Amino acid sequence: DVKVTQSSRYLVKRTGEKVFLECVQDMDHENMFWYRQDPGLGLRLIYFSYDVKMKEKGDIPEGYSVSREKKERFSLILESASTNQTSMYLCASSPLPDRVSEQYFGPGTRLTVT
Amino acid sequence: RKEVEQDPGPFNVPEGATVAFNCTYSNSASQSFFWYRQDCRKEPKLLMSVYSSGNEDGRFTAQLNRASQYISLLIRDSKLSDSATYLCVVPPSGTYKYIFGTGTRLKVLA
């Protein structure tokens, strides 16, 4: 069974704080993704990575950065958290970079910025 | 036109009913499609994949209509446990960016 884990289920941070969200997958997947999910807007892609140290911006990268130093770990960083970054953050991974495959999601981190 | 569109619902149906949702997509080059199920405050989980004309798994049937550019999900003999949001996912051709619909909410009533 593919397992994708995220460092926290719930997180409360103050405006201006630096926030790290960690994601680890145990199935040797090449591709990893960070999304945020908001009511009425669905899942929106923040960043994705197709290899170690490789990353590409998604649809809403502003205010975020990412790090992928090891294949199994993909971190999302909020450099200076703002209240409009309050959201559910979902990490996902997928195998087989030579064809499109389904994604496997972590349990999500519900982040509140006050 | 949005890349992926779904009726948000909710679809309220009695137990045992048959219910169907549609999802329309704009990129005619899309080759594969997915239905995910998401329970309240949980992560999405893959329900079914659709790579050609359709797929069937027990009470669930997914069909693809390329001419009209939509995929459908049919649930027969609905159970209370089927209550969830169903997300349509269309990966754009030639990239790894998955496009998610906003989901259709299903409530199965006792």
Side-chain angles (χ1 to χ4, degrees):
Chain A
D1 246 8
V2 175
K3 189 149 186 177
V4 182
T5 57
Q6 295 184 228
S7 49
S8 307
R9 292 299 301 274
Y10 300 94
L11 210 52
V12 180
K13 294 292 181 180
R14 293 197 179 276
T15 300
E17 280 193 82
K18 191 168 186 175
V19 182
F20 293 88
L21 302 183
E22 301 281 335
C23 175
V24 178
Q25 50 94 3
D26 66 357
M27 286 303 291
D28 203 36
H29 286 173
E30 283 76 11
N31 302 325
M32 296 188 76
F33 307 79
W34 274 108
Y35 295 90
R36 63 177 283 177
Q37 186 176 30
D38 301 287
L41 296 177
L43 274 82
R44 293 180 291 167
L45 182 64
I46 304 172
Y47 268 96
F48 73 97
S49 169
Y50 50 90
D51 202 349
V52 175
K53 297 192 187 294
M54 305 303 286
K55 60 188 178 187
E56 284 206 24
K57 293 180 180 179
D59 299 315
I60 51 163
E62 297 77 21
Y64 304 94
S65 62
V66 290
S67 171
R68 191 158 180 209
E69 297 296 318
K70 293 184 178 181
K71 190 176 186 180
E72 67 270 19
R73 189 179 297 269
F74 192 34
S75 303
L76 180 69
I77 303 146
L78 286 66
E79 296 290 341
S80 177
S82 63
T83 54
N84 63 13
Q85 293 178 309
T86 291
S87 187
M88 169 74 126
Y89 289 88
L90 288 158
C91 175
S93 72
S94 70
L96 302 175
D98 56 342
R99 72 171 184 92
V100 172
S101 183
E102 62 265 26
Q103 294 180 308
Y104 298 85
F105 285 87
T109 296
R110 193 165 290 277
L111 172 67
T112 301
V113 183
T114 61
Chain B
R1 183 181 176 184
K2 285 185 181 177
E3 291 180 273
V4 178
E5 286 196 85
Q6 292 184 256
D7 183 338
F11 284 59
N12 296 322
V13 301
E15 263 188 298
T18 295
V19 61
F21 320 127
N22 281 347
C23 165
T24 59
Y25 61 95
S26 61
N27 185 352
S28 60
S30 297
Q31 297 292 314
S32 58
F33 308 87
F34 305 104
W35 281 105
Y36 277 74
R37 173 199 167 118
Q38 186 173 25
D39 293 297
C40 188
R41 303 178 83 83
K42 296 282 185 74
E43 74 272 25
K45 292 186 178 177
L46 182 68
L47 178 67
M48 298 188 76
S49 306
V50 186
Y51 292 107
S52 55
S53 60
N55 192 8
E56 186 171 331
D57 183 5
R59 299 182 294 109
F60 298 83
T61 301
Q63 290 190 315
L64 168 61
N65 186 316
R66 289 193 190 276
S68 301
Q69 292 183 209
Y70 73 86
I71 59 174
S72 63
L73 179 67
L74 180 79
I75 305 175
R76 289 181 295 276
D77 188 24
S78 300
K79 312 288 185 194
L80 293 174
S81 57
D82 294 333
S83 297
T85 296
Y86 292 84
L87 303 174
C88 168
V89 183
V90 181
S93 178
T95 77
Y96 297 105
K97 287 181 66 174
Y98 295 73
I99 309 299
F100 287 78
T102 51
T104 296
R105 193 168 169 209
L106 171 66
K107 291 184 182 178
V108 181
L109 308 171

